[in-house]
């Protein structure tokens, strides 16, 4: 058993949180080069923390030792969202997952397709209508918002435009309040940002509870019938499912897809993705690999343990960095290249090595629904449009926190396809 490379630093003064949050990619790359390894330690959130940047260490953390490295019961997500599938540990988390799984698989998943198609039609049918380039991230964020609120809360643009707008504004206030809150809580209600988040949360919870009392159909109706731990659990989960985080993540991935397949030089790739459903899957896997919407996830060591052969004392944090794991050169050759064909070659059996939406027994319960949504949107775009960056030379450097996307919102010009060939979906 070896000692972790790096230095955990001293309390407060040795904390590297600010450096990490300014540029997490440069942060981990400098230390991977310095320590000549993809697992190291630093002090983050004023806690000694293991940084996990390799595929084997990520798999060990999230799968083999998921019962040892647990969710932090004191983090901001728990304080604001309460005990949900994402924030609980142990048997409670397993029981919640068992109860909720039926809503995201089987008939529940299939029943979502028609609505997702209708949202695509509503949000994307006029992309070329104005004759002006579109800020694609904004377009996709609106699309994701309508999808989330329609699926999870039965609030749909054509039926409830004012309520949809109100909830969207509250979700935005809630999100902005959360990301403006300080890292460490020392005194109650210290932050105007947190106050804004909590006020918006209370208003959202009022709307959600009204829906749970009145709706008998769809996701809301099914959720209220599940054997959940207490009367407030359904509302807490709905608050999580309609949070601004999900539309932002969807918009991030769709923006990256659009940019990766942009321009005349990618016309053949777009055509292949339209005609070959398996190839489109490979394109989406490569988008997730290179541009994951979340930088990673954090756990706490519940007992003394080992990780990648290094000793990890009880109480240490462990942070897996998706951007780094997905570029582990021992698994993904030419890791910085966009190569969809890798997923039918050397990496054909490596889909479970991505951690875009987590991995192991606590991976995202909605990952299949997310894939259905992304694929429906991409097929719609491929059937109806060609597109390119306008202007052609735009700065596409990414910012990675709180949700990744190009730092300067790119604009894309869409032109209708001359012939809408049928493709697989």
């Amino acid at each position: 058993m070896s000692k972790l490379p790096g230095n955990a630093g001293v309390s407060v003064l040795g904390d590297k949180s600010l450096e990490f949050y300014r540029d997490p990619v440069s942060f981990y790359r400098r230390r991977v080069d310095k320590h000549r390894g993809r697992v190291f330690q630093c002090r983050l959130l004023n806690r000694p923390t293991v940084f996990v940047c390799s595929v084997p260490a990520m798999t060990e953390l999230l799968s083999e030792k998921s019962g040892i490295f647990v969710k932090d019961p004191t983090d901001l997500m728990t304080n604001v969202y309460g005990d949900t599938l994402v924030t609980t540990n142990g048997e409670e988390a397993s029981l919640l997952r068992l109860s909720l799984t039926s809503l995201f698989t089987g008939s529940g998943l299939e029943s979502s397709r028609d609505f997702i198609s209708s949202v695509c039609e509503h949000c994307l049918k006029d992309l070329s209508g104005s004759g002006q380039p579109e800020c694609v991230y904004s377009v996709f964020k609106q699309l994701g918002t309508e999808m989330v609120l329609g699926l999870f809360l039965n609030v749909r643009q054509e039926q409830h435009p004012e309520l949809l707008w109100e909830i969207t504004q509250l979700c935005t206030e809630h999100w902005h309040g959360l990301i403006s809150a300080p890292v460490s809580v020392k005194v109650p209600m210290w932050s105007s940002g947190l106050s804004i988040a909590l006020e918006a949360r209370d208003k959202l919870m009022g709307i959600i509870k009204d829906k749970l009392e009145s709706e008998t159909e769809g996701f809301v109706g099914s959720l209220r019938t599940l054997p959940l731990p207490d009367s407030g659990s359904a509302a807490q989960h709905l608050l999580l499912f309609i949070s601004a985080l999900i539309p932002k993540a969807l918009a991030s991935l769709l923006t990256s897809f659009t940019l990766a397949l942009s321009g005349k030089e990618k016309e053949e790739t777009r055509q292949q993705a339209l005609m070959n459903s398996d190839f489109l899957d490979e394109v989406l896997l490569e988008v997730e690999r290179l541009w994951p919407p979340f930088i990673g996830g954090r756990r706490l060591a519940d007992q003394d343990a080992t990780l990648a052969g290094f000793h990890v004392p009880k109480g240490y944090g462990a942070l897996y960095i998706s951007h780094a794991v997905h570029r582990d050169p021992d698994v993904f050759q030419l890791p910085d290249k966009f190569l969809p064909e890798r997923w039918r070659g050397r990496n054909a059996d490596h889909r479970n090595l991505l951690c875009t939406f987590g991995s192991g027994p606590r991976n995202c319960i909605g990952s299949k629904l997310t894939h259905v949504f992304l694929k429906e949107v991409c097929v719609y775009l491929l059937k109806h449009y060609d597109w390119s960056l306008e202007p052609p030379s735009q700065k596409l450097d990414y910012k990675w926190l709180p949700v990744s996307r190009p730092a300067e919102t790119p604009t894309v010009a869409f032109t209708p396809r001359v012939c809408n060939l049928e493709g697989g979906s």
Side-chain angles (χ1 to χ4, degrees):
M1 191 186 307
S2 304
K3 183 180 181 299
L4 281 162
N7 191 326
V10 296
S11 181
V12 182
L13 293 178
D15 189 77
K16 302 297 183 183
S17 298
L18 185 58
E19 181 187 351
F20 174 78
Y21 287 114
R22 279 176 174 165
D23 190 343
V25 171
S26 294
F27 179 94
Y28 88 72
R29 281 180 166 166
R30 284 196 298 269
R31 285 162 176 81
V32 165
D33 290 343
K34 177 180 179 181
H35 301 302
R36 299 182 180 179
R38 303 185 76 83
V39 178
F40 57 88
Q41 65 174 322
C42 277
R43 180 171 288 271
L44 185 76
L45 303 179
N46 203 26
R47 182 186 294 271
T49 298
V50 187
F51 286 76
V52 173
C53 302
S54 75
V55 166
M58 178 276 295
T59 302
E60 186 179 356
L61 174 71
L62 298 183
S63 296
E64 300 160 23
K65 296 183 177 176
S66 61
I68 296 173
F69 292 93
V70 300
K71 291 283 188 174
D72 182 356
T74 65
D75 69 10
L76 188 62
M77 284 284 285
T78 305
N79 289 333
V80 175
Y81 286 102
D83 291 331
T84 66
L85 181 70
V86 172
T87 57
T88 53
N89 287 304
E91 185 178 0
E92 184 180 0
S94 298
L95 291 173
L96 279 171
R97 190 178 189 89
L98 188 64
S99 294
L100 291 165
T101 294
S102 63
L103 301 182
F104 293 92
T105 55
S107 60
L109 187 63
E110 287 303 315
S111 65
S112 303
R113 290 183 185 271
D114 288 344
F115 173 67
I116 292 172
S117 295
S118 71
V119 174
C120 288
E121 179 68 21
H122 174 255
C123 292
L124 303 177
K125 64 181 178 181
D126 294 324
L127 284 180
S128 60
S130 69
Q132 299 297 317
E134 296 281 353
C135 295
V136 285
Y137 181 78
S138 298
V139 169
F140 294 140
K141 188 169 63 173
Q142 177 61 32
L143 186 153
T145 298
E146 289 195 22
M147 192 276 290
V148 164
L149 294 183
L151 283 181
F152 295 137
L153 213 56
N154 288 351
V155 175
R156 305 193 172 184
Q157 171 66 34
E158 67 276 14
Q159 299 169 347
H160 319 98
E162 293 181 358
L163 181 57
L164 189 141
W165 183 87
E166 179 185 0
I167 296 174
T168 300
Q169 297 306 304
L170 288 171
C171 286
T172 301
E173 291 174 15
H174 187 231
W175 171 254
H176 287 165
L178 285 180
I179 63 174
S180 69
V183 165
S184 179
V185 180
K186 295 301 180 185
V187 292
M189 300 302 291
W190 34 222
S191 161
S192 60
L194 183 63
S195 300
I196 291 169
L198 295 180
E199 183 178 346
R201 180 196 65 182
D202 291 343
K203 292 178 180 178
L204 285 168
M205 287 295 275
I207 295 171
I208 288 169
K209 289 175 181 177
D210 287 343
K211 281 285 182 180
L212 282 168
E213 290 175 2
S214 61
E215 295 280 352
T216 59
E217 303 295 328
F219 189 93
V220 182
S222 299
L223 182 63
R224 61 187 290 187
T225 67
L226 295 180
L228 297 174
D230 56 64
S231 59
S233 184
Q236 289 173 341
H237 278 91
L238 276 176
L239 178 66
L240 179 65
F241 297 153
I242 68 167
S243 71
L245 187 64
I246 297 175
K248 286 178 178 290
L250 297 172
S252 170
L253 288 166
L254 288 169
T255 297
S256 296
F257 166 84
T258 305
L259 299 180
L261 268 63
S262 180
K264 186 73 174 177
E265 66 276 13
K266 292 297 176 69
E267 185 174 355
E268 184 177 339
T269 304
R270 291 197 298 272
Q271 182 67 17
Q272 185 180 355
L274 173 60
M275 301 303 296
N276 186 332
S277 181
D278 290 338
F279 180 68
L280 177 55
D281 285 336
E282 293 161 3
V283 168
L284 289 173
L285 281 169
E286 194 69 345
V287 168
E288 287 186 24
R289 187 186 71 83
L290 283 171
W291 303 288
F294 310 119
I295 196 63
R298 182 168 168 266
R299 301 288 190 270
L300 287 183
D302 200 36
Q303 62 190 62
D304 284 359
T306 59
L307 197 58
F310 297 110
H311 174 62
V312 180
K314 178 180 179 179
Y316 263 51
L319 183 72
Y320 66 93
I321 308 293
S322 302
H323 185 281
V325 172
H326 293 177
R327 286 168 168 77
D328 185 341
D330 290 338
V331 177
F332 301 106
Q333 292 182 343
L334 300 174
D336 293 317
K337 294 288 187 181
F338 179 75
L339 300 172
E341 60 270 21
R342 74 169 73 244
W343 296 102
R344 59 179 178 270
R346 180 185 179 189
N347 298 119
D349 297 324
H350 291 164
R351 298 181 181 211
N352 64 328
L353 301 184
L354 296 183
C355 51
T356 309
F357 302 106
S359 185
R362 299 202 62 165
N363 70 324
C364 175
I365 196 171
S367 57
K368 289 183 178 179
L369 176 61
T370 298
H371 181 72
V372 168
F373 173 73
L374 292 173
K375 199 165 181 180
E376 288 285 337
V377 175
C378 293
V379 167
Y380 186 95
L381 291 172
L382 292 165
K383 278 184 177 180
H384 292 87
Y385 298 107
D386 286 312
W387 62 86
S388 59
L389 283 171
E390 184 61 43
S393 58
Q394 296 183 49
K395 190 174 182 181
L396 300 178
D397 293 340
Y398 270 61
K399 71 180 190 71
W400 297 100
L401 290 170
V403 177
S404 70
R405 64 180 176 88
E408 297 180 13
T409 304
T411 53
V412 173
F414 292 88
T415 56
R417 285 175 59 86
V418 175
C419 179
N420 292 334
L421 296 175
E422 290 299 320
S425 62

